[in-house]
Amino acid sequence: MKKDPLFTLLLVLLLPLIQACESKHEKAPVVPPKSNYVFSSIKEIPALPVTDQNSSGTCWSFSTTSFLESEIMRLKGEKIDLSEMYFVRCAYLLKAQNYILRQGTARFSEGGLNHDPMMSSTQFGLLPQSVYTGLLKGETQHNHFNLFQALESRVKPYANPASKLGAEWRKEVPSILDGFLGKVPDQFQYKGKWYTPMSFLDYTQLNPDHYLTITSFTHVPFYKPFVLSIPANWAYERFYNLPLDEFMENIDHAIEEGFSLALDLDGTEPTFTAEIGVLPQKQEDKTLILTQIRPEKKVTLQMRQEAFENFQTTDDHLVHIIGKVQDQHGNLYYKAKNSWGPKAGRQGYMYLSVAYLKMKGISVLLHKEGLIETTRQKLYRSPVQATSIQQE
């Protein structure tokens, strides 16, 4: 989308941090100086400390990993630092298979969505961070440029039926991942006991079948599962469609009941920074609102749909919603744990206004028990729902 010249100048003057985000290498906005926003907590859900995706397009993994860590605390009462890079590795295995078997007509990129780790954990299990960091000896930061280049250069030839290369990619792709991220142990010790990735999933008490993704759009029926047509949905996974007000009500209900959520959102707006995401009512306020509280738009489902269909709203970044706060005027915001490191935003956290989330929040992943009961009943009535939230 077009960027305002004043915003561009602001970015230049403030030396923005550069981060890789989702499937694009995107500029991580810098907090404007002298912000007058004062936030006080209303509800906060326990989460592990902020981490840094560094130069990797893996915000989808970092946000979901943080979400699952909070879920383990909720279910088991134990803090377990999970491996983000194990999810990345497993996703690449599935992406390569999908891309090759579809003869190159599918998407193969660094990006992904919150349901990717849920999907891969069913097949590959989980690993703790202490066992699989994705960093080789001497490395301290993630940089996946060479990794992706190596994978892409080998996956593409296998996707060409004329190449007659067969299925050797099933050995070659894991070998590339071993070389850049490290080998996966068949067994490992955790707190004095031996586990496999699958038995460790059982240990965490997580059940991937108990999670679903909800959204709100008008081009598909409400209360029905559908494949959301966005680039990062390489796996053609299903989302569950709700009216906009009900979508927001379920987010609020989940937080109130102690459930956090993993959020996919549009981070391209000039009023989306490392600290806040806001949506000014007046265009002339779009610079001032970065530092001062200003009136925000009254978002409707029609506005949201139009922005999605004309690509003003795109899926660019994923974060972990861990609570709600209010500013000094009583306006509400969602507190989100980011993956740009503890020095970005407010010690690694950003605050998204209700208007911003309503307009720019693509979807949220949550535990089915976090839904409002009436919403759950409506989704249960869907005959194809049995493969997702009805499984126990």
Side-chain angles (χ1 to χ4, degrees):
M1 68 191 306
K2 293 182 179 179
K3 301 295 184 185
D4 183 84
L6 290 176
F7 178 70
T8 303
L9 178 61
L10 181 63
L11 289 180
V12 172
L13 292 175
L14 293 176
L15 299 176
L17 302 172
I18 305 299
Q19 295 286 354
C21 176
E22 213 266 53
S23 61
K24 307 177 182 69
H25 291 284
E26 170 190 320
K27 290 182 179 180
V30 172
V31 180
K34 300 180 181 178
S35 173
N36 292 319
Y37 286 86
V38 178
F39 299 118
S40 57
S41 179
I42 296 174
K43 176 76 175 184
E44 184 147 353
I45 296 155
L48 294 189
V50 171
T51 50
D52 196 336
Q53 69 185 77
N54 304 123
S55 297
S56 69
T58 58
C59 57
W60 56 271
S61 179
F62 278 79
S63 60
T64 314
T65 301
S66 179
F67 167 75
L68 292 176
E69 290 165 349
S70 289
E71 279 293 282
I72 294 170
M73 283 189 270
R74 183 182 66 82
L75 293 166
K76 190 178 175 67
E78 182 178 343
K79 294 180 180 180
I80 301 178
D81 188 3
L82 297 177
S83 168
E84 293 90 358
M85 290 303 126
Y86 185 62
F87 287 133
V88 172
R89 178 198 176 91
C90 295
Y92 270 131
L93 294 173
L94 296 175
K95 288 177 187 178
Q97 174 177 275
N98 183 59
Y99 181 81
I100 292 168
L101 296 183
R102 290 181 180 272
Q103 300 178 29
T105 61
R107 181 179 175 87
F108 187 80
S109 73
E110 289 188 74
L113 293 172
N114 294 123
H115 56 232
D116 293 357
M118 313 307 299
M119 181 172 55
S120 70
S121 61
T122 301
Q123 186 170 344
F124 300 106
L126 303 172
L127 287 179
Q129 177 72 5
S130 58
V131 169
Y132 198 81
T133 64
L135 296 170
L136 302 183
K137 187 175 181 179
E139 294 180 337
T140 58
Q141 294 187 346
H142 303 293
N143 187 328
H144 287 187
F145 179 80
N146 291 332
L147 166 62
F148 181 71
Q149 293 296 312
L151 286 170
E152 187 178 41
S153 67
R154 294 309 302 142
V155 166
K156 283 189 173 182
Y158 281 104
N160 182 0
S163 68
K164 307 297 183 183
L165 292 175
E168 283 301 304
W169 62 269
R170 292 194 179 275
K171 297 179 181 178
E172 190 169 352
V173 170
S175 177
I176 293 171
L177 292 167
D178 286 348
F180 282 95
L181 300 178
K183 292 185 177 181
V184 176
D186 294 327
Q187 291 185 319
F188 60 92
Q189 272 193 311
Y190 185 79
K191 293 188 175 181
K193 294 185 178 180
W194 286 94
Y195 296 92
T196 66
M198 292 305 298
S199 65
F200 191 68
L201 171 63
D202 293 337
Y203 172 76
T204 65
Q205 298 184 9
L206 291 169
N207 185 336
D209 291 329
H210 289 175
Y211 297 85
L212 76 164
T213 306
I214 59 173
T215 188
S216 182
F217 292 107
T218 61
H219 64 286
V220 289
F222 292 132
Y223 309 114
K224 299 288 184 180
F226 74 104
V227 176
L228 182 60
S229 299
I230 53 178
N233 192 14
W234 60 269
Y236 304 94
E237 282 291 287
R238 294 177 304 170
F239 293 61
Y240 297 88
N241 198 35
L242 300 175
L244 183 55
D245 288 343
E246 190 170 350
F247 172 66
M248 297 299 295
E249 288 167 2
N250 274 276
I251 293 173
D252 291 335
H253 177 266
I255 295 170
E256 290 167 6
E257 295 298 315
F259 295 84
S260 67
L261 310 97
L263 168 68
D264 179 21
L265 79 164
D266 177 2
T268 65
E269 288 293 320
T271 51
F272 177 87
T273 76
E275 179 189 19
I276 58 171
V278 285
L279 210 61
Q281 187 178 74
K282 299 177 181 179
Q283 281 296 301
E284 56 264 35
D285 283 343
K286 62 185 177 182
T287 299
L288 186 60
I289 200 171
L290 297 176
T291 57
Q292 297 183 29
I293 298 168
R294 304 300 299 158
E296 294 196 63
K297 287 183 180 179
K298 305 298 181 183
V299 177
T300 66
L301 181 54
Q302 181 180 355
M303 291 167 57
R304 173 185 169 88
Q305 185 72 26
E306 288 175 355
F308 179 72
E309 292 189 2
N310 66 24
F311 307 126
Q312 286 182 314
T313 293
T314 53
D315 62 309
D316 304 288
H317 192 41
L318 297 98
V319 295
H320 177 203
I321 298 176
I322 63 164
K324 290 182 75 174
V325 302
Q326 63 181 2
D327 64 24
Q328 62 268 42
H329 292 177
N331 302 308
L332 299 177
Y333 302 78
Y334 298 93
K335 182 177 181 179
K337 179 184 170 185
N338 203 1
S339 55
W340 293 342
K343 293 183 180 179
R346 297 200 177 191
Q347 298 180 319
Y349 298 92
M350 61 172 52
Y351 299 85
L352 308 169
S353 72
V354 173
Y356 196 91
L357 184 55
K358 201 171 183 181
M359 184 74 160
K360 296 293 180 176
I362 300 289
S363 63
V364 292
L365 172 77
L366 75 163
H367 193 282
K368 64 178 184 178
E369 297 294 339
L371 293 170
I372 298 170
E373 181 60 30
T374 54
T375 299
R376 287 189 64 206
Q377 291 301 321
K378 292 170 187 175
L379 296 182
Y380 268 108
R381 288 200 295 267
S382 176
V384 286
Q385 186 71 20
T387 59
S388 184
I389 66 170
Q390 286 187 1
Q391 290 184 356
E392 299 291 344

